[in-house]
Amino acid sequence: QVQVVESGGGLVQAGGSLRLSCAVSGSIFIPNAVGWYRQAPGNQRELVAGIATGGNVNYADPVQGRFTISRDKSKKTAYLQMNSLKPEDTAVYYCQATIAALANDYWGQGTQVTVSS
């Protein structure tokens, strides 16, 4: 019933920017936290950035200073602003929403980000 949908991925040259969106629907409960993960071919999925209800955020070292995670006022949509993109940022980016009231985590299908040199 809960649906998580990412969008905004695409092909961009190194140094460019993209903004990813994560829309959460199908629940009367607001996600307590949202995380952005990424997975490149042959690699493990890794946490990129996370944001909690109170606005506390955290970033992985490789994206610190370049990426910004945020949520809209409803807290049903999260964003990942990606600036100064590098080829090593190329991956499928996934959104994860935690809804504590349902004691579960929900994942989107992923959106492809490709950065060319």
Side-chain angles (χ1 to χ4, degrees), residues 27-110:
S27 175
I28 63 173
F29 301 106
I30 299 173
N32 300 91
V34 174
W36 283 99
Y37 295 74
R38 68 186 182 186
Q39 186 169 20
N43 294 341
Q44 293 183 315
R45 189 172 299 185
E46 62 179 357
L47 176 66
V48 176
I51 185 168
T53 301
N56 189 38
V57 300
N58 62 281
Y59 299 95
D61 288 342
V63 308
Q64 183 74 41
R66 298 187 298 118
F67 291 9
T68 303
I69 188 171
S70 62
R71 302 175 77 171
D72 67 4
K73 291 184 293 185
S74 72
K75 300 190 184 300
K76 294 181 179 180
T77 304
Y79 305 94
L80 185 68
Q81 178 67 46
M82 305 185 295
N83 298 327
S84 301
L85 283 163
K86 304 175 181 179
E88 50 262 45
D89 295 320
T90 295
V92 177
Y93 283 70
Y94 298 90
C95 180
Q96 180 210 52
T98 298
I99 303 180
L102 300 178
N104 207 357
D105 297 332
Y106 302 88
W107 290 86
Q109 80 291 340

